[in-house]
C-alpha cells in the first residue's frame, strides 16, 4: 500500500493506483470526461489536471501513478486554472445548442462548464461542423459536432462489447468519431455507449425528443429477459415508460445492460397491447368485462374437469413471469387436481432430480475473476450478453475460455481450446474430455474412449488454474440429452475442482423451479403438446416459445378451450379467451437470477386500460373455482408463500444429478439441425419492440450451411434451399457459414418463418430450392 496526501488528508491506496483512484477513495471529486472506472485510461481530455508538488506542471489525475509521500492538491489555484483552460479549449468548437440538446439536464460538459467555464468566449472563428452518421435504429449520431473526443465509446466497444465498431479518423480539428466504411453499430451492448457519452453526441434514437430529463420520474426495476437479473432504472412520464437505463449493481450487471433490457420497453407502448378481456364468439373477438371473462374461464375449466378429468387440463408458462404469478398458477392447476404445469417450453429432455433447482453454481461476479471457463452448448453473446461481457473481462486478464459447441461463433473474446461438433456429438465430446481428465488424474472415466487433441487440451487447461467454472448454455439445457450433458459436466467439474452450473434461459428460470412451476408427477411441456389436452392455460407464452411450434399449434387448435394470459394480443388464432395481464413494468413481483438471488420490484406505471396484474387475475380465478389458498391481499403475501424462507431457498440450489452417462450417439452423415434462438426473438416482449426488430440481429432467418454441405449441393450466393423435418418444410435463403461443424445446418427457432419446422435438434434434409 502507498500513502499520499490529498488536499491535506492522508489516503492509503494500493501500489499502481492512479491519483484519480485515491481521490475516489477519499470522496474527493476531480472533474473529468474521458476517465471511466470500467474502461482503460486514455488521458485525452485533460480535464482532470491536478497540482502535484514538485511536478513542473499540472498532471492528469487519471494517468498519474501514486508514489509514497506524494502531495496532491485538487483545489489549488494552479489546478483550477489548468482545468479552466482545458474547459475553454473544449468549448471552442462545441455548438451552443443546449436549449435543443437531448442531453440537456444530464450533460457532464454542461455541468462542469458552470464551474470551470467562462461567461464569454475569446474564440471568434467559425465553429467546426461534423456531419451526422446513420448507424442503425438504436443510436443517434445526428449531432456529432458536440463530440469532445473523450473516446469512451471507442474504448467501450473494444473492451466491454469486444468489437471495435467506432473509431477516430483524421487529426487535429478534423478528428471525428465514426464507424468505418459506413457500417451500423450492431453490438448487443451498444446502448451503453449512450450512457457513457458525457455530451449529447450519442443519444437514444427511440427516446430522442420524447421528453426532457427533468420531466421524468425514475423508478427501480429488474429485467426479465435473461438470468443475469440486470437492475434497471425505468424513466416515466405521464404514466408511460419512455426510457430504461442501468442501475449500478456490481453483483449482477455492474453498470451495463443489454440492448434488449434497454429498448424492449417500446413493446409496452405499442399497438399490440391487449387492453381489455376478449372472448371469441362465432369466430369473432368480442370485448367483455373481467367478471364475464373470468366466469367463462372458471366454468369452462370446471366443465372440462367434469367431462374429461383434471388430467385433461394443462398450463404452459414462460419463465419471464414473476415468482408470484408462477406460484399461483401452479397452485391453481394443482387445486383443480392436475399436475400438468411447466415452464420449460423449449426443452426436449425433462429428466430432473426431484426438488433440485438448477442454477449458475457460483456467483455472477465470480465469472469476471475466473481463470478457466468451459462453456457447453451456448450462443453466449446473444443468449447472455452480460455473462459474455464478464467472461470477456476474464479473458482480457488472461483466463482461458473454452467451449463445446456446434459452431465456432464469434464471441468477441480470445478463446482457448474448442471442440466444434454436431449437437448429437456433444455428449461424446464431454466423454472425451472426461477420459482425458481421468487419465491425467489416474481415476476411472465415466466411459472408456480415446480422447482427441482438442479434448485433451481442454482437460489440461481445466486441470490448471484456480477459479474454474463449467457452464451449460441454453442449447445444452434444451438438448435431447440434457441430463447426460449435466452428468458429464458435473463429473468433469468435480474432478478438476471447478463449479458446474446452468447459465439460465429466462429472467426467472431459477424462480420457476423454486415455486414448483413444473410437474411433480404430471405431464411435462413436451407431453402436453405431443398428446393434446382438452384445455390449456398459456401464461406469457405463445407457439413461438415452444420447442416445436408447429406441433404446439396443432395441439392448441385441437383443444376445447385455450386461455391466453398475456400483455399482448397473442395467440389470436388459437385462443378462446384473452386476458390482459400486466408486464413487469406495471406489476409488482420478483425474479430469481441465475445466482439464486431473489430480486423484488414494484410496478413503475399504472396498468394500461383494463390490464390487471397477473397474480390478481389468478387469485380471483382461484376463488371462482373454489380452490383454497387464494385469499392473498398483497403481492408480499404471495411472495412469502412462494419463496418462503430465503435461507431454505439456498439449500435447494443444486446441480447434482443421479443420471449416469449413457451410450453416446454414433456419428453419421445425415445433416443435423442446430437451432439457436435469435436474441430479439427470445420472448414475446422483444418480438414486439420496433427498434429491436429493425436491427441486424432481428433480420429474417437464413439457413446456414457448412462448407461440406454447401459444396455437395453446388450452391452459390443468392441461392435458396428447402429445409425439411418430417413432413414439415420451409424455403430459406442459403448462407455459407464456415464456422459450423460438418453436417450441421443452422436454422433459428423462435421465428414465424421457421415455426413450421420440427424439433430444434435432430436430423433434417436440405435440398436446393
Amino acid at each position: 500500500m502507498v500513502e499520499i496526501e490529498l488536499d491535506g488528508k492522508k489516503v492509503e491506496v494500493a501500489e499502481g493506483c492512479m491519483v484519480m483512484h485515491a481521490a475516489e477513495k477519499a470522496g474527493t471529486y476531480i472533474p473529468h470526461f474521458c476517465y471511466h472506472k470500467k474502461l482503460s485510461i486514455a488521458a485525452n481530455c485533460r480535464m482532470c489536471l491536478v497540482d502535484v508538488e514538485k511536478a513542473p506542471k499540472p498532471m492528469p489525475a487519471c494517468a498519474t501513478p501514486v508514489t509514497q509521500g506524494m502531495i496532491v492538491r485538487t483545489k489549488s489555484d494552479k489546478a483550477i486554472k489548468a482545468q479552466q483552460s482545458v474547459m475553454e479549449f473544449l468549448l471552442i468548437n462545441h455548438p451552443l445548442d443546449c436549449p435543443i440538446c437531448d442531453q440537456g439536464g444530464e450533460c457532464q460538459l454542461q455541468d462542469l462548464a458552470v464551474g470551470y467555464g467562462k461567461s464569454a468566449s475569446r474564440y471568434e472563428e467559425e465553429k467546426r461542423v461534423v456531419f451526422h452518421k446513420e448507424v442503425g435504429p438504436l443510436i443517434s449520431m445526428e449531432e456529432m459536432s458536440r463530440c469532445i473526443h473523450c473516446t469512451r465509446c471507442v474504448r467501450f466497444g473494444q473492451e466491454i462489447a469486444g468489437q471495435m465498431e467506432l473509431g477516430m479518423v483524421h487529426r487535429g480539428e478534423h478528428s471525428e468519431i465514426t464507424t468505418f466504411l459506413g457500417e451500423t453499430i450492431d453490438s448487443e451492448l451498444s446502448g451503453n455507449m449512450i450512457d457513457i457519452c458525457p455530451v449529447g453526441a450519442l443519444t437514444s434514437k427511440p427516446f430522442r425528443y420524447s421528453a426532457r430529463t427533468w420531466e421524468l420520474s425514475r423508478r427501480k426495476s429488474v429485467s426479465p429477459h435473461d438470468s443475469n437479473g440486470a437492475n434497471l432504472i425505468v424513466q416515466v412520464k405521464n404514466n408511460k415508460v419512455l426510457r430504461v437505463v442501468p442501475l449500478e449493481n456490481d453483483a449482477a450487471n455492474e453498470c451495463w445492460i443489454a440492448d434488449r433490457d434497454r429498448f424492449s420497453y417500446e413493446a409496452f407502448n405499442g399497438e399490440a397491447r391487449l387492453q381489455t378481456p376478449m372472448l371469441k364468439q362465432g369466430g369473432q373477438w368480442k370485448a367483455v368485462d373481467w367478471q364475464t371473462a373470468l366466469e367463462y374461464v372458471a366454468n369452462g375449466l370446471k366443465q372440462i374437469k367434469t367431462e374429461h378429468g383434471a388430467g385433461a387440463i394443462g398450463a404452459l408458462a414462460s419463465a419471464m413471469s414473476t415468482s408470484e404469478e408462477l406460484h399461483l398458477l401452479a397452485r391453481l392447476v394443482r387445486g383443480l387436481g392436475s399436475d400438468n404445469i411447466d415452464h420449460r417450453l423449449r426443452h426436449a429432455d425433462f429428466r430432473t432430480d426431484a426438488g433440485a433447482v438448477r442454477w449458475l453454481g457460483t456467483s455472477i461476479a465470480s465469472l469476471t475473476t475466473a481463470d478457466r471457463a468451459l462453456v457447453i452448448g451456448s450462443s453466449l453473446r446473444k443468449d447472455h450478453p452480460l455473462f459474455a461481457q464478464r467472461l470477456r473481462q476474464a479473458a482480457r486478464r488472461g483466463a482461458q475460455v473454452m467451449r463445446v459447441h456446434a459452431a465456432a461463433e464469434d464471441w468477441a473474446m480470445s478463446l482457448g481450446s474448442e471442440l466444434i461438433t454436431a449437437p448429437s456429438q456433444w455428449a461424446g465430446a464431454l466423454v472425451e474430455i472426461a477420459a482425458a481428465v481421468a487419465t491425467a488424474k489416474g481415476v476411472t472415466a465415466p466411459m472408456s474412449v480415446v480422447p482427441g487433441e482438442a479434448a485433451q487440451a481442454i482437460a489440461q487447461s481445466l486441470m490448471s488454474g484456480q477459479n474454474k467454472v463449467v457452464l451449460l448454455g441454453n442449447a445444452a439445457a434444451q438438448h435431447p440429452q440434457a441430463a447426460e450433458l449435466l452428468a458429464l459436466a458435473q463429473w468433469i467439474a468435480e474432478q478438476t475442482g471447478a463449479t458446474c452450473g446452468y447459465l439460465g434461459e429466462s429472467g426467472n428460470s431459477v424462480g420457476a423451479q423454486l415455486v414448483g412451476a413444473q410437474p411433480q408427477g404430471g405431464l411435462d411441456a413436451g407431453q402436453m403438446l405431443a398428446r393434446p389436452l382438452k384445455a390449456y392455460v398459456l401464461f406469457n407464452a405463445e407457439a413461438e416459445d415452444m420447442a416445436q411450434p408447429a406441433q404446439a399449434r396443432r395441439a392448441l387448435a385441437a383443444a376445447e378451450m385455450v386461455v391466453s394470459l398475456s400483455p399482448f394480443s397473442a395467440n389470436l388464432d388459437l385462443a378462446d379467451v384473452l386476458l390482459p395481464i400486466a408486464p413487469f413494468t406495471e406489476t409488482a413481483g420478483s425474479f430469481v437470477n441465475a445466482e439464486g438471488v431473489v430480486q423484488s420490484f414494484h410496478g413503475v406505471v399504472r396498468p394500461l386500460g383494463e390490464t390487471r396484474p397477473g397474480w390478481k387475475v389468478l387469485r380471483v380465478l382461484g376463488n371462482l373455482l373454489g380452490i383454497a389458498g387464494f385469499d392473498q391481499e398483497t403481492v408480499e403475501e404471495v411472495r412469502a408463500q412462494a419463496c418462503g424462507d430465503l435461507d431454505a431457498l439456498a439449500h435447494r440450489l443444486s446441480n447434482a444429478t443421479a443420471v449416469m452417462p449413457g451410450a453416446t450417439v454414433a456419428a453419421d452423415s445425415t445433416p443435423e439441425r442446430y437451432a439457436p434462438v435469435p436474441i430479439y426473438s427470445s420472448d414475446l416482449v422483444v418480438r414486439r419492440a420496433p427498434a429491436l426488430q429493425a436491427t441486424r440481429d432481428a433480420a429474417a432467418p437464413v439457413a446456414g450451411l457448412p462448407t461440406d454441405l454447401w459444396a455437395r449441393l453446388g450452391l452459390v450466393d443468392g441461392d435458396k434451399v428447402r429445409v425439411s423435418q418430417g413432413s414439415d418444410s420451409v424455403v430459406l435463403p442459403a448462407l455459407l457459414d464456415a464456422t459450423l461443424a460438418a453436417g450441421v445446418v443452422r436454422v433459428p427457432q423462435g421465428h414465424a418463418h421457421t415455426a413450421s419446422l420440427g424439433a430444434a435438434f435432430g436430423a433434417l434434409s436440405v435440398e436446393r430450392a
Side-chain angles (χ1 to χ4, degrees), residues 531-563:
R531 299 198 300 272
L533 304 178
K534 296 298 180 182
Y536 290 95
V537 178
L538 303 178
F539 202 95
N540 281 328
E542 47 194 342
E544 285 81 4
D545 296 315
M546 311 297 174
Q548 299 190 51
Q551 180 196 64
R553 284 186 162 279
R554 288 191 290 268
L556 293 170
E560 292 181 13
M561 184 179 193
V562 176
V563 183

Side-chain angles (χ1 to χ4, degrees), residues 323-324 327-328 331 514-515 589-590 598 600 632 634-646 648-649:
S323 301
E324 293 78 5
H327 165 73
L328 289 179
R331 177 173 279 195
L514 285 168
V515 302
S590 62
V598 180
S600 59
Q632 304 89 348
T634 65
V635 74
E636 287 77 16
E637 285 182 51
V638 185
R639 188 177 307 134
Q641 294 174 358
C643 300
D645 180 10
L646 293 181
L649 288 187

Side-chain angles (χ1 to χ4, degrees), residues 25 107 115 118 154 161 176 223 236 274 277 320 338 351 425 431 447 453 563 587 624 635 644 681 685:
K25 186 173 182 181
C107 172
K118 295 183 179 178
V154 177
E176 57 180 291
S223 170
V236 176
L274 180 65
M320 71 178 301
S338 173
R351 290 171 289 168
Q425 303 305 305
V431 165
M447 294 175 68
E453 285 185 20
V563 183
T587 184
L624 290 173
V635 74
S681 298
V685 177

Side-chain angles (χ1 to χ4, degrees), residues 499-634:
T499 60
C500 175
Y502 281 102
L503 289 167
E505 295 162 82
S506 284
N508 204 25
S509 292
V510 174
Q513 299 172 74
L514 285 168
V515 302
Q518 59 193 50
Q520 310 301 317
L523 302 179
D524 56 53
Q527 292 168 330
M528 280 189 248
L529 296 171
R531 299 198 300 272
L533 304 178
K534 296 298 180 182
Y536 290 95
V537 178
L538 303 178
F539 202 95
N540 281 328
E542 47 194 342
E544 285 81 4
D545 296 315
M546 311 297 174
Q548 299 190 51
Q551 180 196 64
R553 284 186 162 279
R554 288 191 290 268
L556 293 170
E560 292 181 13
M561 184 179 193
V562 176
V563 183
S564 174
L565 293 94
S566 170
F568 304 104
S569 300
N571 307 302
L572 284 173
D573 55 335
L574 298 167
D576 301 291
V577 191
L578 301 179
L579 302 179
I581 59 169
F584 79 100
T585 53
E586 298 171 19
T587 184
S590 62
F591 297 134
V592 185
N593 68 10
E595 186 182 328
V597 175
V598 180
Q599 300 189 105
S600 59
F601 55 90
H602 295 286
V604 299
V605 291
R606 292 191 303 274
L608 184 67
E610 291 296 306
T611 299
R612 295 290 180 267
W615 71 270
K616 288 188 176 182
V617 174
L618 292 169
R619 186 198 61 192
V620 175
L621 199 50
N623 290 330
L624 290 173
L625 287 164
I627 302 171
F630 282 83
D631 52 0
Q632 304 89 348
E633 292 295 325
T634 65

Side-chain angles (χ1 to χ4, degrees), residues 171-219:
R171 300 183 68 183
E173 71 166 4
H174 301 293
S175 300
E176 57 180 291
I177 301 290
T178 181
T179 59
F180 295 99
L181 306 177
E183 291 289 324
T184 53
I185 297 175
D186 298 312
S187 166
E188 61 282 355
L189 297 171
S190 66
N192 294 291
M193 294 180 185
I194 299 165
D195 294 334
I196 62 176
C197 180
V199 294
L202 303 180
T203 52
S204 167
K205 193 171 278 189
F207 171 70
R208 189 171 161 82
Y209 298 138
S210 297
R212 287 300 198 177
T213 179
W214 53 84
E215 299 176 309
L216 300 170
S217 301
R218 290 161 174 77
R219 288 145 194 184

Side-chain angles (χ1 to χ4, degrees), residues 359-362 469-472 486 489-490 493 498-502 655:
W359 69 301
L360 187 62
T362 184
V469 290
V470 177
L471 302 168
L472 293 131
L486 173 60
Q490 190 68 264
T499 60
C500 175
Y502 281 102
N655 294 313

